[in-house]
Amino acid sequence: TAADTDTASGDAGSVEGKSICYVTLANSHPYVTPANEGAQAAADAAGVELTIVSEEFSAQTGAEQLNSCVSRGVDGILLWPADENSYLPGLLKAEQAGIPVVAIDTRAGDESMELIKSFAGADKYDQGKISAQQLDGALDSTGGIVVIAGQAGNGTEIARSGGFLDELESMGSGLEILATVNADFDQQKALVASRDLITKFGDQIKGVYAQDDTMAKGFLQALEESGLDFVPVVVGINGEAGAFDNIREGKQFSTILQPPFRNGELAIETLIAVMKGETVPEMVPLENTIVDSSNVDDLEPAL
Amino acid sequence: MNQLVAPARSLDKSTTPGALFSTLSIPIAILVLVVIGSVASPSFLTVNNLTNVLNANSAVGLIALGMTFVMVSGGLADLSVPANVAMGALVTLGAQESMGTGLAALMGLLVASMGGVVNGILIGYLRINPIIATLGTGSVLLGLSQLLVGGGIVYAQPSALSTFVKSSILGIPVFIWIFIFVALILHPLLARTSFGRWSLAVGGNYQAAQASAVPVRFTKAAAFAMTGFLAGLCGVLLALSNGQARPIIGTGYEFVAITAVVIGGTSVFGGNGSVLRTVGGVLITALIGNLIILLGFPSQATGLITGAIVLGAVGIDAYFRRKAGRL
Amino acid sequence: MTTESTPAVALRMTGITKSFPGVMALQDVDLEINEGEVHAIVGENGAGKSTLMKILAGFYQPDKGEIEVGGRKAIHWTPREARSRGIGMIYQELNLVPDLSVAENISLGAMPTRGPFVDYRAMNAKADAVLRELDTDIDPGTRLGDLSISQQQLVEIAKVVARQPNVVVFDEPTSSLGDKETRVLFDVITKMRDRGIAIIYISHRLQEVMEIGDRVTVLRDGRHIETRDVAGITPDEMVSLMVGRDLNEMFPKFDLGLGEQVLAIEGASRAGQFDNVTLDVRKHEIVGLAGLVGSGRTEVARALFGLDPLEEGTITLAGKVLKIRSPRQAVAAGIALVPEDRKGQGIIPGLSVRENFTLPVITRITNALLIFLGKERKIVTELADRLKVNPPQVERPLNVFSGGNQQKVVLGKWLLSEPKLLILDEPTRGVDVGAKADIHHIIGEFAQDGGGVLMISSELPELLAVCDRIFVLHEGVIAAEISRADATEESVMRAATGQEVAA
Amino acid sequence: MKNFDFALLGARAVQYRLVIMLVAVAVFGGLSLDDFLTVNTLQSVLDRATVVGFLALGLTPVLIAGQIDLSIGSMMSMAGITTIFMQPVIGNVPAAAAGVAVGILIGAVNALMVVVFKINSLVATLATLLIFASLALLLTNSYPLSSEDPIFGLPLTADFLWILTPRSAIFLIAAVLMFVWLKLTPTGRNLYAVGSDASAATSSGINANGYIAASFVLSGFFAGLAGMMQSLSTAAGSPVAGAVMLIPAITAVVIGGTRLEGGRGSSLATLGGVLALGALTTALEYNGVPSYTQAIYTGLLLILLISLDRIVSGHGGASSRAQRSVRVAPRNTPLPRRNA
Ligand SMILES: Nc1ncnc2c1ncn2[C@@H]1O[C@H](COP(=O)(O)OP(=O)(O)OP(=O)(O)O)[C@@H](O)[C@H]1O
Ligand SMILES: Nc1ncnc2c1ncn2[C@@H]1O[C@H](COP(=O)(O)OP(=O)(O)OP(=O)(O)O)[C@@H](O)[C@H]1O
Ligand SMILES: [Mg+2]
Ligand SMILES: [Mg+2]
């Protein structure tokens, strides 16, 4: 946990003036931006020079940026994988050049993870699993649910869908997926799709798995408009302020909180530890905190 | 009502199969989709669902209405739409706290319209290729909007205006009313006013229009300014009803709008087109989205079906035109 | 070489029939062209001349009929095939590629190669040779788009000549040429004929047909009417064959008392185009503006209309000095221009006749918001009637009308604006005799009603017949002002070519 | 006179814009970063430019022919997933060929729509953009495919001849070959003729439709190549790989000086545009400039260049196809005065 890495930033002298290249997912994004800020803060604190380059959600761009970081000969690389596989060649090059790579927020594929020294972040696959457990538990493993997924092909969507489906299967859950729609992490699209879902299934919808709180909000908006008075179990992810309100009002069942700023800090601290030659665990977890009516008043929203 | 509608451009030649096709294609397409829907799903022909269909694309439909003028006047397409939507939304929510919701919304509209005006100046007055110009301004404006919020989400504060935007009047959501209202203004604007006639003339033959004392540059520029304004309006409405906004808010709306206009049968070459037909195009795209969910198709198939319908509709139209010897 | 008595047939078209939706363009037309003859084809607008030629060139497939070239039947007749069988086409509109060089244009479709590459040296040499043959000094390396219109026309001809064709079709080649260029062209045609090439020559200018043609074929309404030796026919006979009736007066002239001054231009200049132009037009008056191609007539007209504003000089309209910077201001002041390039600047093809008619005045039949459609329709129907627009269907898009009728619509649209001054730039170019008479009539009426007309035409007989006074431009400078009494072809040509004006 | 000098300066600026831009980026990068003007950086700029470069290269003949192809990104995605999917089935090299073939095939579909069904290329390729982007997602169930043989494609981005990598070498060679084709062979010249004035070209016996069709197939080929190389060098076939590629590709081509109106352009200009854009991006990235600020710069650059081009070439120049069918010489040419 956090305690392991706190020691990492303790002895800053040895990395002072070294350079880190950080291939981030995006520059402008509710979760990623605070994470970038956290990374910057940790780098500043340690006196390392941090260059942030953004792949803008494109694994292809990111793979090229990774190569470019390697050829610059930086001392360490922090990578936010946008999909599982695309970074393998760049990681091999980094390995050859002796540049340590740490991944943040999202895991890369298994082969890639072998070349990555450590992973700091909440496990999105895990988040999918948690969502499955939440829904299954709240519905006693019976009834129809709809899945409002993110952008098709997007790494986060893939992890959250994968964890969710795998967990339902391994639990032998009795939940029945009525429909899956992609709403691209967009509230308006989720709203439009949810209206149609509600029209089609009505109160057959016992549960909703929205892959982020924005889309959960879209569903709730559609539900409100419909005037129907059934209350499905809505599970979201991200810990947005809006979701906290909805949980308090009993409209949403739960969300998963992962503090982005801390995620960034943690990742840089881990990387610095690696650069110093310390051994770090394969995974430095950012706690996935489940937020529901029981603890909503004790926690701060992530964004 | 009838007085408002100009004689359809194609009615007088409705003797040929081509003219018949271009007159009837939209009603027929809508009918076919409705039949498919009602056969395939019991929930299709419910008041609720039909409201959903109307509501689904009413926000992006506003942009399609503006885009009709862009295409008619020979301006090809406005690719800066997502940026203007984002500008409208972010400025509104960003300024809400300091100046109140109403003023902030006006501010959002103003900023987005200015984006449209810049497009208009580049394209109408400097005569830069619209694809390039709007690609450029779109890139700049979207960058600015991201710079504006630094990242993240901007949240709305509760306000009377946003409650109103989310409400219904006579059982019909305000979004739909706004769309109908704008369409009812823009349809006669194109079909029955001097400005509309100018737009058709500018798209039909720029030089001849210029030599006929048509204010060609203004006309072309105005189409882009109008689209900027409507994109901004779309952004403002979405921001208020969603209660939050992000820079990605309008992503892909340019393609949805272009698709709706093209399905409506407005020529990309300019010189003909009608707002009413674009309304048809907006309805068709909304029906496709609705049916995909009701029939349980994967949402990824949307592009496949929409694309195929575009190719079909435009291809058949082009075929008949060619047969009639006019292409 | 062929003997005088039995000329070899270069080309034979038999029973050609072609219809377009709603139009029978050609019906059972026969045509036989000999080697070494200039065969003129005449006919009203829409008679089917161009369609026949497009079939010959392989652009259209005939519904029925056969083509025989050099004694061999034509099968799979495509533009490519037609070209390889020695058929060359020179169209009314230029068919050149502005972004390639002159030499590339001349060799387009058949560039000389060395290995896989273009042999630029051979290509330029070839272009140079042909251009020299045409008596021009155009540089083969110039980008075509940088040439003047008449130079481009010469390149167009060079392009066809360079292929050493057996049959060359000229479809209204002189409509954008002036007299000097026409002379050069006629020399070229004569040279080609003497080499045994068969020439088909289409023109609405019957004088030219008389001068250059050996035989003439008359088409009317898509049918072959007659083929005759030019030596045995008069222009009047040709006209009556073309229209199927006698035209009483081609250039009607009304006798009108002249009124006060409508337009006065003083010292007008635009660098490189015209210099110190001073002229005036009075009420009831039709003033001609003559000159060779490139003399700057069109530029003066465009400047008056605000398309390319004046750099120096003043324009006075009905006593008021105007600064005209755009067509809008010109129209507001009471000036109208019928441009020379009808397709490019005159018509909006996709709009209906009604919409074309009212375009410049649309704001005048609009209340605060909407157009008065009923009023518009009424005005337009009356006008179409008066101008004899044929067919009289004002809701049809203008592009399905023939050239002459399109021109009537352009004219009509400006009449609607009730201008004080009507400028006409080549108002009857490419227009057949019938429509031409109609147009002259309309112009005359306009002057009678108190308007002033400034008319540009490259057809001297037309100017001489219609105008009360003629100003002659030579290289952008007014070389002479000639009154109706003194105006003859000779006096105008002398001034236009820069010789001293006869006293 | 002063005015004239300004115009000349503008004209020169437009003419040598690529050189100016590359020098400016080199100076800016060199001054602001220690390690910008190094072999490593050059290699990485070139290598990164390759994928967008292939797409831009394919787009060039299409634009010269006066058409546009919006579907390049979708073709690239389809080619990428085909390559990776086919690797275990038919072997590495045939799979690569299959990927390119898919690009060619979709290019042929575009050609069919534009040439045979006479659908405006903007609309036709917008439709195929939607269709094949959607198909790529459906075929893969939105999941990126991972290569069974990730080592196979690695040499593509390895060191090779000083500042090159194998794939950037292929890109450079392709750009030069295309230049030779466009400028020096009859078919290349004919393509310009078709884009400049299709009906005039047709009447000269050039099969304009054939050339237009070929340009779309060629664009498909290059998009296929881009997808194949990208997927092999990242050992993954992503259904969304091409989704973000259209705008940079068009931007690169246009910055190079190829016009959307057809009839003008060159593959070396495109190469220059790709490199200038790539170098600028790298320089900005190394300086830690956020991506949205970069977007502002590239957008402004695009607008600036095209405005300058427009102003220098004069207002008389026609800006659309319809206007250019009015065949007149530009009004600013000097009058011919041949009768001495
Ligand atoms: N592509 C076409 N589609 C439909 N109708 C056509 C087409 N081309 C020609 N026509 C019609 O065929 C007839 C013959 O036209 P054509 O152009 O051959 O006449 P023309 O004798 O060359 O006339 P002009 O002297 O005006 O050039 C006209 O009625 C014309 O409207
Ligand atoms: N639209 C145009 N664009 C560019 N140059 C033109 C255009 N029209 C004419 N020119 C050129 O400008 C010069 C002046 O031409 P202008 O048209 O004034 O002469 P004109 O006496 O009216 O001859 P024309 O019989 O061709 O109308 C000529 O060299 C001509 O080739
Ligand atoms: Mg003709
Ligand atoms: Mg003229």
Side-chain angles (χ1 to χ4, degrees):
Chain A
T1 69
D4 296 335
T5 45
D6 275 349
T7 55
S9 50
D11 179 11
S14 56
V15 290
E16 181 125 16
K18 296 219 166 177
S19 62
I20 292 178
C21 193
Y22 170 24
V23 180
T24 184
L25 187 66
N27 279 126
S28 171
H29 183 269
Y31 187 85
V32 184
T33 304
N36 295 347
E37 285 163 2
Q40 187 68 59
D44 289 347
V48 293
E49 190 196 327
L50 182 69
T51 307
I52 304 182
V53 300
S54 160
E55 57 195 333
E56 294 302 301
F57 303 100
S58 160
Q60 278 61 43
T61 310
E64 277 155 8
Q65 285 165 333
L66 175 61
N67 285 339
S68 162
C69 289
V70 173
S71 64
R72 272 193 93 180
V74 291
D75 303 302
I77 295 175
L78 180 60
L79 174 68
W80 192 312
D83 77 17
E84 289 202 340
N85 308 313
S86 298
Y87 303 88
L88 194 56
L91 292 171
L92 282 170
K93 281 188 184 175
E95 172 97 341
Q96 277 161 16
I99 304 172
V101 181
V102 166
I104 173 170
D105 181 77
T106 311
R107 280 173 177 283
D110 292 340
E111 284 157 37
S112 302
M113 286 314 290
E114 279 169 28
L115 299 166
I116 291 177
K117 298 286 176 292
S118 178
F119 165 75
D123 192 333
K124 289 182 185 163
Y125 182 84
D126 232 35
Q127 292 171 346
K129 283 168 76 170
I130 295 173
S131 301
Q133 293 157 3
Q134 292 279 310
L135 265 184
D136 190 79
L139 291 173
D140 282 335
S141 210
T142 58
I145 59 169
V146 295
V147 178
I148 305 177
Q151 200 160 28
N154 171 285
T156 304
E157 186 268 343
I158 289 169
R160 287 182 184 164
S161 291
F164 184 78
L165 296 176
D166 290 353
E167 183 69 5
L168 283 190
E169 191 171 325
S170 70
M171 289 190 303
S173 165
L175 295 180
E176 179 203 356
I177 297 182
L178 298 171
T180 303
V181 294
N182 290 94
D184 303 3
F185 298 118
D186 182 81
Q187 183 176 343
Q188 182 65 18
K189 285 187 182 149
L191 169 64
V192 170
S194 302
R195 285 181 188 139
D196 295 342
L197 291 173
I198 292 170
T199 304
K200 182 172 183 195
F201 298 109
D203 59 8
Q204 282 177 301
I205 303 174
K206 302 295 181 211
V208 177
Y209 171 40
Q211 285 183 359
D212 78 1
D213 288 336
T214 322
M215 296 192 291
K217 193 167 172 197
F219 178 87
L220 290 172
Q221 214 176 326
L223 184 65
E224 197 170 335
E225 277 177 17
S226 77
L228 300 176
D229 61 355
F230 66 99
V231 186
V233 176
V234 178
V235 171
I237 303 178
N238 270 6
E240 285 179 18
F244 273 52
D245 295 341
N246 287 333
I247 290 172
R248 275 189 207 104
E249 291 166 28
K251 294 179 190 163
Q252 183 168 337
F253 182 75
S254 68
T255 182
I256 299 171
L257 182 68
Q258 49 169 107
F261 189 90
R262 180 68 198 132
N263 197 166
E265 278 182 332
L266 205 56
I268 286 292
E269 285 161 7
T270 310
L271 178 57
I272 287 174
V274 176
M275 284 157 63
K276 280 183 187 159
E278 294 167 16
T279 47
V280 293
E282 233 170 75
M283 166 152 182
V284 183
L286 179 75
E287 199 99 36
N288 277 322
T289 311
I290 300 168
V291 184
D292 56 21
S293 52
S294 68
N295 61 356
V296 64
D297 291 321
D298 311 330
L299 295 165
E300 279 294 306
L303 43 141
Chain B
M1 187 64 219
N2 244 341
Q3 278 297 81
L4 277 181
V5 182
R9 193 155 303 284
S10 40
L11 270 182
D12 50 286
K13 343 154 209 151
S14 56
T15 41
T16 67
L20 220 59
F21 174 79
S22 70
T23 319
L24 295 181
S25 54
I26 293 179
I28 289 177
I30 293 178
L31 200 72
V32 168
L33 289 172
V34 166
V35 169
I36 293 177
S38 34
V39 169
S41 164
S43 35
F44 180 80
L45 274 183
T46 58
V47 176
N48 246 337
N49 189 55
L50 295 180
T51 313
N52 290 349
V53 171
L54 292 177
N55 209 351
N57 278 354
S58 48
V60 54
L62 291 173
I63 300 166
L65 298 179
M67 197 81 93
T68 311
F69 283 81
V70 167
M71 274 200 205
V72 162
S73 65
L76 295 175
D78 182 350
L79 301 183
S80 69
V81 156
N84 281 327
V85 175
M87 273 296 189
L90 295 174
V91 169
T92 303
L93 298 193
Q96 198 182 16
E97 194 162 3
S98 56
M99 50 176 68
T101 312
L103 266 186
L106 281 182
M107 189 78 183
L109 285 178
L110 190 74
V111 171
S113 309
M114 288 213 314
V117 169
V118 170
N119 283 334
I121 290 171
L122 289 174
I123 294 156
Y125 288 86
L126 278 177
R127 298 184 57 192
I128 292 176
N129 182 298
I131 301 283
I132 303 292
T134 54
L135 218 56
T137 52
S139 179
V140 172
L141 290 174
L142 199 59
L144 281 176
S145 78
Q146 285 171 314
L147 198 61
L148 203 70
V149 298
I153 304 181
V154 195
Y155 288 102
Q157 288 138 10
S159 69
L161 198 57
S162 60
T163 318
F164 168 71
V165 165
K166 282 188 276 192
S167 64
S168 289
I169 299 174
L170 302 177
I172 294 177
V174 166
F175 261 83
I176 300 180
W177 282 119
I178 293 176
F179 178 76
I180 292 175
F181 179 72
V182 174
L184 278 183
I185 292 176
L186 293 191
H187 179 72
L189 182 67
L190 183 56
R192 279 293 305 275
T193 69
S194 305
F195 177 75
R197 199 61 70 72
W198 290 339
S199 302
L200 290 160
V202 169
N205 182 346
Y206 184 88
Q207 294 198 343
Q210 186 177 32
S212 302
V214 171
V216 282
R217 292 179 294 194
F218 167 79
T219 304
K220 224 167 169 174
F224 283 91
M226 193 167 26
T227 308
F229 170 82
L230 289 170
L233 180 61
C234 172
V236 170
L237 292 174
L238 288 182
L240 289 178
S241 74
N242 289 351
Q244 62 176 53
R246 296 195 277 165
I248 62 154
I249 184 166
T251 312
Y253 281 14
E254 76 276 37
F255 289 135
V256 182
I258 295 172
T259 308
V261 179
V262 166
I263 287 181
T266 294
S267 158
V268 223
F269 294 115
N272 75 54
S274 120
V275 171
L276 212 56
R277 297 175 68 91
T278 296
V279 172
V282 171
L283 260 181
I284 290 175
T285 47
L287 276 170
I288 294 172
N290 183 256
L291 286 180
I292 281 179
I293 291 181
L294 290 193
L295 302 184
F297 290 162
S299 18
Q300 295 101 307
T302 314
L304 194 75
I305 296 169
T306 317
I309 286 185
V310 169
L311 285 184
V314 180
I316 295 174
D317 197 38
Y319 170 77
F320 280 126
R321 266 168 212 265
R322 212 154 3 114
K323 244 180 79 173
R326 292 179 279 113
L327 195 87
Chain C
M1 287 288 115
T2 58
T3 56
E4 292 293 15
S5 46
T6 54
V9 174
L11 162 77
R12 182 178 286 131
M13 300 175 82
T14 34
I16 302 290
T17 299
K18 173 80 188 169
S19 61
F20 294 108
V23 191
M24 197 60 154
L26 291 171
Q27 222 169 332
D28 200 20
V29 172
D30 295 341
L31 187 69
E32 198 178 275
I33 317 284
N34 296 331
E35 287 179 3
E37 79 161 335
V38 176
H39 194 118
I41 301 181
V42 296
E44 288 189 273
N45 291 128
K49 306 176 297 285
S50 300
T51 306
L52 189 63
M53 293 304 111
K54 283 180 182 159
I55 288 174
L56 176 61
F59 280 104
Y60 294 149
Q61 297 304 315
D63 303 339
K64 262 205 299 247
E66 276 179 8
I67 305 172
E68 208 178 279
V69 181
R72 279 196 296 150
K73 254 188 73 178
I75 29 178
H76 299 308
W77 204 236
T78 61
R80 210 190 174 87
E81 179 68 16
R83 233 172 44 124
S84 72
R85 294 276 290 273
I87 303 221
M89 279 278 196
I90 291 159
Y91 297 92
Q92 182 173 357
E93 284 137 15
L94 294 174
N95 263 290
L96 297 170
V97 177
D99 290 318
L100 294 191
S101 73
V102 169
E104 284 175 321
N105 265 288
I106 289 174
S107 294
L108 197 59
M111 293 188 187
T113 51
R114 184 189 290 166
F117 301 116
V118 176
D119 187 346
Y120 275 100
R121 191 179 300 173
M123 190 169 78
N124 284 335
K126 177 169 136 193
D128 217 32
V130 191
L131 289 169
R132 201 150 321 142
E133 193 180 332
L134 292 180
D135 202 23
T136 73
D137 53 4
I138 300 169
D139 176 8
T142 329
R143 183 176 161 270
L144 185 102
D146 294 339
L147 296 181
S148 75
I149 300 258
S150 52
Q151 285 177 316
Q152 294 190 13
Q153 181 86 24
L154 285 171
V155 174
E156 174 89 34
I157 294 167
K159 182 175 153 186
V160 172
V161 172
R163 275 183 220 130
Q164 308 195 314
N166 315 323
V167 179
V168 179
V169 178
F170 289 89
D171 193 348
E172 299 191 43
T174 52
S175 58
S176 61
L177 292 185
D179 273 335
K180 181 169 169 289
E181 285 80 2
T182 306
R183 294 260 66 87
V184 175
L185 174 67
F186 282 5
D187 284 349
V188 174
I189 291 180
T190 315
K191 271 193 224 160
M192 296 205 294
R193 174 186 60 192
D194 292 347
R195 268 190 275 149
I197 297 173
I199 314 273
I200 298 177
Y201 189 87
I202 297 176
S203 177
H204 288 290
R205 298 184 188 168
L206 302 183
Q207 282 306 329
E208 291 178 2
V209 172
M210 296 303 291
E211 184 181 341
I212 191 94
D214 295 317
R215 287 197 293 165
V216 58
T217 289
V218 180
L219 294 184
R220 190 203 313 148
D221 295 337
R223 281 175 221 267
H224 178 260
I225 300 299
E226 203 159 323
T227 299
R228 286 231 228 141
D229 281 340
V230 169
I233 192 170
T234 65
D236 283 347
E237 282 176 278
M238 271 193 246
V239 169
S240 48
L241 286 174
M242 279 157 64
V243 296
R245 70 195 138 95
D246 285 330
L247 282 181
N248 27 25
E249 206 191 350
M250 274 192 50
F251 300 125
K253 187 64 206 144
F254 305 93
D255 199 15
L256 306 156
L258 292 182
E260 70 259 34
Q261 209 173 47
V262 174
L263 169 80
I265 314 173
E266 253 167 274
S269 303
R270 258 182 80 82
Q273 295 181 334
F274 52 87
D275 192 29
N276 196 19
V277 168
T278 299
L279 57 80
D280 66 309
V281 179
R282 280 168 286 172
K283 253 188 168 175
H284 299 308
E285 192 183 28
I286 303 177
V287 171
L289 190 56
L292 301 178
V293 165
S295 58
R297 298 165 300 174
T298 295
E299 320 304 296
V300 170
R302 288 177 60 90
L304 264 176
F305 195 58
L307 281 162
D308 314 302
L310 283 185
E311 286 165 1
E312 263 170 61
T314 56
I315 300 171
T316 316
L317 194 80
K320 257 190 280 174
V321 179
L322 302 177
K323 268 249 166 294
I324 299 176
R325 313 232 117 241
S326 73
R328 305 207 74 201
Q329 293 174 351
V331 172
I335 302 179
L337 169 69
V338 173
E340 64 176 333
D341 177 5
R342 176 171 61 231
K343 217 170 121 190
Q345 288 152 20
I347 64 165
I348 318 272
L351 294 195
S352 65
V353 172
R354 168 173 59 86
E355 290 158 322
N356 269 282
F357 263 144
T358 55
L359 192 56
V361 296
I362 193 68
T363 47
R364 296 190 207 163
I365 42 175
T366 305
N367 65 13
L369 295 169
L370 301 181
I371 297 169
F372 298 117
L373 277 185
K375 189 170 164 192
E376 185 187 22
R377 235 175 263 132
K378 187 162 152 276
I379 294 173
V380 163
T381 319
E382 279 171 17
L383 185 63
D385 227 40
R386 206 178 103 207
L387 303 186
K388 301 193 193 131
V389 174
N390 182 33
Q393 296 167 352
V394 296
E395 295 302 327
R396 277 165 57 117
L398 191 51
N399 53 348
V400 304
F401 285 78
S402 81
N405 283 297
Q406 293 182 356
Q407 188 71 346
K408 287 182 191 171
V409 172
V410 177
L411 203 56
K413 118 179 141 180
W414 290 116
L415 292 179
L416 265 189
S417 78
E418 295 172 350
K420 300 187 179 87
L421 174 73
L422 179 61
I423 310 169
L424 304 162
D425 195 351
E426 310 280 4
T428 60
R429 172 185 288 174
V431 166
D432 69 53
V433 281
K436 196 162 174 173
D438 288 345
I439 289 173
H440 287 149
H441 193 77
I442 297 164
I443 298 171
E445 267 182 14
F446 174 75
Q448 208 169 7
D449 292 347
V453 177
L454 182 64
M455 171 161 160
I456 299 169
S457 173
S458 296
E459 259 185 273
L460 267 185
E462 178 178 40
L463 281 186
L464 293 174
V466 173
C467 297
D468 299 294
R469 263 190 307 157
I470 298 177
F471 286 88
V472 186
L473 269 179
H474 169 66
E475 302 205 340
V477 177
I478 297 279
E481 175 185 346
I482 306 177
S483 69
R484 185 173 176 80
D486 298 333
T488 62
E489 294 215 20
E490 208 213 335
S491 63
V492 174
M493 275 321 285
R494 283 177 69 93
T497 51
Q499 297 152 23
E500 202 107 29
V501 190
Chain D
M1 268 297 88
K2 238 179 185 170
N3 228 339
F4 176 72
D5 282 342
F6 172 75
L8 190 72
L9 196 70
R12 289 285 169 275
V14 169
Q15 196 176 354
Y16 297 111
R17 58 201 198 172
L18 289 175
V19 180
I20 295 173
M21 268 187 300
L22 283 169
V23 169
V25 173
V27 169
F28 160 70
L31 289 181
S32 60
L33 301 157
D34 309 330
D35 58 349
F36 190 72
L37 296 174
T38 61
V39 171
N40 268 344
T41 311
L42 284 179
Q43 189 184 50
S44 125
V45 166
L46 265 173
D47 187 64
R48 279 188 64 176
T50 302
V51 173
V52 166
F54 276 123
L55 294 173
L57 219 47
L59 210 47
T60 306
V62 175
L63 293 189
I64 290 175
Q67 309 291 321
I68 193 159
D69 187 349
L70 301 179
S71 69
I72 48 177
S74 300
M75 295 195 280
M76 175 182 159
S77 303
M78 286 292 292
I81 59 178
T82 307
T83 303
I84 299 303
F85 178 78
M86 291 306 249
Q87 268 187 329
V89 185
I90 57 178
N92 287 331
V93 175
V100 179
V102 163
I104 293 176
L105 209 68
I106 303 177
V109 172
N110 284 332
L112 188 78
M113 292 301 151
V114 173
V115 168
V116 179
F117 293 103
K118 302 282 176 213
I119 302 176
N120 174 273
S121 60
L122 191 68
V123 176
T125 57
L126 173 64
T128 49
L129 154 79
L130 296 174
I131 290 176
F132 290 102
S134 164
L135 198 62
L137 289 170
L138 288 172
L139 288 177
T140 56
N141 200 16
S142 306
Y143 239 86
L145 304 170
S146 48
S147 172
E148 304 261 309
D149 184 1
I151 307 303
F152 173 71
L154 293 189
L156 279 175
T157 56
D159 269 351
F160 179 77
L161 288 185
W162 194 47
I163 58 169
L164 296 179
T165 59
R167 66 174 188 176
S168 62
I170 295 174
F171 166 55
L172 291 180
I173 291 169
V176 172
L177 282 183
M178 187 184 280
F179 182 79
V180 170
W181 168 57
L182 286 173
K183 295 287 172 182
L184 299 180
T185 70
T187 50
R189 302 314 293 161
N190 289 350
L191 186 74
Y192 284 91
V194 169
S196 187
D197 189 324
S199 75
T202 309
S203 70
S204 302
I206 294 171
N207 178 1
N209 279 340
Y211 278 89
I212 292 173
S215 73
F216 280 105
V217 174
L218 202 60
S219 169
F221 167 75
F222 274 103
L225 213 56
M228 179 269 279
M229 297 247 180
Q230 176 68 44
S231 64
L232 286 182
S233 56
T234 57
S238 161
V240 293
V244 294
M245 294 301 208
L246 176 64
I247 289 175
I250 292 187
T251 306
V253 177
V254 171
I255 281 182
T258 300
R259 296 193 183 177
L260 259 69
E261 285 79 17
R264 294 212 195 168
S266 131
S267 63
L268 287 192
T270 296
L271 174 66
V274 169
L275 292 183
L277 205 60
L280 180 66
T281 308
T282 307
L284 291 174
E285 259 177 13
Y286 281 13
N287 273 297
V289 176
S291 52
Y292 43 80
T293 317
Q294 289 176 36
I296 298 176
Y297 293 146
T298 20
L300 286 177
L301 183 69
L302 193 63
I303 294 171
L304 182 79
L305 277 177
I306 194 122
S307 305
L308 205 60
D309 196 7
R310 183 91 219 129
I311 291 164
V312 166
S313 70
H315 289 275
S319 79
S320 83
R321 217 120 261 285
Q323 283 149 31
R324 271 194 312 108
S325 70
V326 183
R327 292 172 200 134
V328 291
R331 292 211 80 89
N332 52 7
T333 53
L335 299 187
R337 293 269 178 260
R338 285 189 297 101
N339 34 350

